[in-house]
Amino acid sequence: MAASKCTRLTGVLSRQLLDSVDSVLFDCDGVIWRGDQAIPGAPEVINSLKKNGKRVFFVTNNSTKTRQMYADKLGKLGFDASADEVFGTAYCSAVYLKNVCKLDGKVYLIGSNAMRQELEGVGIRPVGVGPDPVSGVQKDWANVPLDNEVRAVLVGFDEHFSYMKLNRALQYLCNPDCQFVGTNTDTRLPLEGGKAVPGTGCLLRAVETAAQRKAQVVGKPNIFMFECVASQFGLDPERCLMVGDRLDTDIMLGSNCGLKTLLTLTGVSTVAEAEANQKCECPQRQKMVPDYYIESIADILPALQA
Amino acid sequence: MAGAAVGGRGCVTLRGAQIRDLLDAKHDVLFDCDGVIWNGETAVTGAPEVVSLLKQRGKRVFFVTNNCTRPRENYVQKFSRLGFTDVAEEEIFSSAYCSAAYLRDVARLQGKVYVIGCGGVMKELRDAGVPVAEEEDAEPGASIYTCPLDPDVKAVLVGYDENFTFMKLAKACCYLRSSECLFLATDPDPWHPLRGGRVTPGSGSLTAALETASSRKATVIGKPSRFMFDCISSQFGLDPARSLMIGDRLETDVLFGSNCGLATVLTLTGVSTLQEALAFRDSQEPQQKHCAPDYVMESVADILQALEE
């Protein structure tokens, strides 16, 4: 595809692009919603795609909600969607631990209740969720009681992140046989109301630094997120479109998996950044050039309704 | 000085007369603490005597530690407790003390510093007269979206903090959004050794979280950065050519010595091993070669034997 890349998606091209795909994968934050507000026109686009016979999926690095919680949010904002169309990292990390890591035992979890629920949903028992303030003195911390059934450490977004959690994770990771997985490396977590706070990437860097080990990262741009969807729904990459707002996660994922890619400008990345990547010789940066870009996904609506 | 081994980051093991010759050429000896002169609450055998003997022979002795958990007066007490006589507060340079000195003398901070750190750092800042932003007690409804920011904060200092929380990370990140806000870290150590071969997360891991959140790099005060040497030198006038650095951690102590133009000795009573030292020596990368010590000793007690012969 795309000998020419980074092309503005206009009406005619929109029609051609949509005809060339059967499935559309959407990132969420900055693409279909911002915080708790739908991007104007986004629900109509998704619903229209489905009426046009396209399959629609939601692929997000945000680990704070279960698939059902996402389905509830989508419903509330006017999107016609079901839980099994949603692939967040809480769910995908659980699947990854089960199927790729072949985890047999418990996981020490730095993460949310949503992650706990998704893990329990695939039959993995997490330990460690919730507040964990420090107690005792320094010499006690190396001797925190460790659960000897723990075979992996999983790090996701955790508002209760603390020195003690970092310490416990480190103690488990001193065992080289203990697996080390992170949900994603995004440095900021978008919040309701349009604000943002430090993201999972920061917590993961803290644990990686203390343990002097690198985590296996589940989220975009790792191809696992796409493989998770594809294996459940039998997708053909060449007939898939990835729509996202971040060049380094969404578009990179699309490039890695051989999908068509569309950058929307309602989120993080800009056309200038995409064009700068395009001019660069570096293969890694070339993967962060979308086939097309569009101001907002709402701009596809005319092509769908034609 | 035929007996003196040639430096050049060759990891040369020193014994007896070679140690004497090396010391004859040096006026000032800088010791790391953890893993060199003590391990936890136990002095390395012979270390107290070595320090005394060096001073008797007219050397100046300084202690340069990345450990930011205690104020200097606590260190004085620890020295005394472990059998080191006559170690004065002025001889002790911790990353906490030096961070405060940096803010006061180099940055000349006009405003407050927001601190992620423990009691040791707070005390040193207060002693240096550097205003610290008060940490309000978390109100019941306080959340990461509504925590108040102090408009007088002009610097963020991050170091070892057993009370580190997500809220502190978020607040520090907010302060660092202003490019005028300084970003300092006490030290880069990713982990610290505890008794029995166990480890605990270090300042470096907390700094990594904040650097990632803010997309900024911290100015690091502690070893291997030069600043602690400059701090000692500004007070005592050190000549690098006549100074010796003795430490146990290749990536901090030895690299520090290297960065400051000091001769370096690795002792094997702490973190790094001879094997690791040789690997750095034989590396092709220049940065890695700087982590290779000039000399190696089993323990600082070897100095005792050399001086007593």
Side-chain angles (χ1 to χ4, degrees), chain A residues 115-137:
Chain A
M115 290 179 71
R116 182 180 53 76
Q117 286 177 47
E118 294 287 23
L119 285 163
E120 287 168 350
V122 301
I124 296 176
R125 277 172 306 159
V127 296
V129 185
D132 188 3
V134 76
S135 60
V137 292

Side-chain angles (χ1 to χ4, degrees), chain B:
Chain B
M1 281 204 291
V6 178
R9 307 202 182 96
C11 304
V12 177
T13 300
L14 291 181
R15 284 182 237 293
Q18 295 168 319
I19 298 180
R20 260 205 317 278
D21 290 340
L22 175 63
L23 288 173
D24 281 346
K26 305 297 174 191
H27 185 255
D28 300 306
V29 184
L30 283 63
F31 285 95
D32 174 42
C33 298
D34 298 305
V36 179
I37 60 169
W38 60 50
N39 274 301
E41 280 290 310
T42 312
V44 165
T45 309
E49 292 81 354
V50 166
V51 171
S52 293
L53 207 50
L54 285 169
K55 287 183 171 187
Q56 279 171 39
R57 299 288 172 99
K59 310 294 177 195
R60 288 191 302 191
V61 173
F62 301 101
F63 303 93
V64 189
T65 175
N66 274 0
N67 191 320
C68 57
T69 59
R70 297 168 197 269
R72 297 206 297 173
E73 61 205 45
N74 283 28
Y75 273 116
V76 173
Q77 290 165 16
K78 180 167 180 177
F79 273 105
S80 173
R81 213 162 53 231
L82 267 53
F84 296 81
T85 53
D86 304 326
V87 172
E89 199 172 294
E90 300 79 62
E91 294 165 341
I92 304 168
F93 289 80
S94 73
S95 60
Y97 170 76
C98 291
S99 296
Y102 183 97
L103 283 166
R104 184 192 57 203
D105 303 330
V106 178
R108 297 185 193 281
L109 188 71
Q110 302 292 319
K112 297 182 188 171
V113 57
Y114 179 74
V115 180
I116 293 175
C118 53
V121 171
M122 300 297 193
K123 177 80 171 45
E124 294 289 9
L125 287 166
R126 274 200 300 274
D127 286 353
V130 177
V132 175
E134 288 305 312
E135 189 64 42
E136 273 120 46
D137 289 336
E139 300 134 19
S143 75
I144 48 186
Y145 332 151
T146 62
C147 55
L149 295 183
D150 186 330
D152 293 333
V153 167
K154 296 288 186 287
V156 168
L157 173 62
V158 57
Y160 179 88
D161 182 1
E162 69 261 29
N163 294 308
F164 185 75
T165 59
F166 186 84
M167 174 85 82
K168 289 186 177 186
L169 174 64
K171 270 177 106 160
C173 192
C174 286
Y175 286 125
L176 288 173
R177 273 210 283 265
S178 163
S179 57
E180 284 165 17
C181 183
L182 298 179
F183 184 11
L184 299 191
T186 55
D187 69 277
D189 298 352
W191 49 265
H192 299 298
L194 296 179
R195 241 189 305 216
R198 308 294 293 272
V199 293
T200 197
S203 307
S205 60
L206 306 185
T207 305
L210 191 46
E211 286 185 330
T212 305
S214 63
S215 302
R216 290 178 60 172
K217 291 233 66 98
T219 299
V220 179
I221 301 298
K223 301 171 284 183
S225 147
R226 282 195 56 107
F227 182 71
M228 297 228 276
F229 179 79
D230 293 340
C231 200
I232 306 174
S233 203
S234 71
Q235 295 180 24
F236 292 94
L238 298 180
D239 174 7
R242 304 253 294 153
S243 304
L244 182 66
M245 176 68 203
I246 304 181
D248 73 306
R249 225 170 157 158
L250 296 165
E251 297 92 332
T252 46
D253 304 318
V254 175
L255 184 54
F256 168 74
S258 193
N259 286 340
C260 302
L262 315 180
T264 52
V265 175
L266 175 73
T267 68
L268 302 177
T269 43
V271 168
S272 298
T273 65
L274 179 58
Q275 216 174 355
E276 287 163 347
L278 295 174
F280 278 125
R281 181 194 67 185
D282 299 334
S283 165
Q284 297 303 314
E285 283 178 65
Q287 186 61 7
Q288 297 220 333
K289 283 178 127 56
H290 287 310
C291 293
D294 296 317
Y295 310 107
V296 178
M297 285 179 202
E298 287 292 329
S299 150
V300 295
D302 295 354
I303 298 174
L304 201 60
Q305 290 178 320
L307 292 180
E308 283 174 346
E309 276 165 15

Side-chain angles (χ1 to χ4, degrees), chain A residues 137-167:
Chain A
V137 292
Q138 196 183 47
K139 63 176 156 58
D140 301 328
W141 303 335
N143 296 312
V144 289
L146 297 185
D147 186 327
N148 62 10
E149 291 179 76
V150 165
R151 296 277 178 276
V153 169
L154 174 62
V155 179
F157 183 77
D158 186 353
E159 56 176 343
H160 296 294
F161 187 77
S162 65
Y163 184 83
M164 187 49 99
K165 290 193 171 202
L166 173 59
N167 178 54

Side-chain angles (χ1 to χ4, degrees), chain A residues 18-80:
Chain A
L18 291 170
D19 285 344
S20 74
V21 300
D22 302 320
S23 304
V24 187
L25 291 74
F26 287 93
D27 174 42
C28 298
D29 297 301
V31 180
I32 64 171
W33 62 50
R34 272 196 216 100
D36 53 4
Q37 309 257 318
I39 300 274
E44 290 81 351
V45 168
I46 268 74
N47 300 345
S48 210
L49 279 166
K50 288 189 165 186
K51 287 205 192 76
N52 270 255
K54 308 297 181 193
R55 286 192 296 192
V56 171
F57 303 99
F58 305 91
V59 184
T60 175
N61 275 359
N62 192 319
S63 62
T64 62
K65 292 185 174 32
T66 60
R67 316 178 83 190
Q68 190 54 54
M69 290 169 179
Y70 273 118
D72 293 343
K73 178 172 178 176
L74 284 160
K76 225 165 49 182
L77 294 181
F79 297 88
D80 164 27

Side-chain angles (χ1 to χ4, degrees), chain A residues 76-102:
Chain A
K76 225 165 49 182
L77 294 181
F79 297 88
D80 164 27
S82 61
D84 61 349
E85 291 165 342
V86 179
F87 291 79
T89 50
Y91 170 68
C92 291
S93 298
V95 174
Y96 185 89
L97 278 169
K98 187 120 190 122
N99 297 349
V100 178
C101 299
K102 308 237 189 282

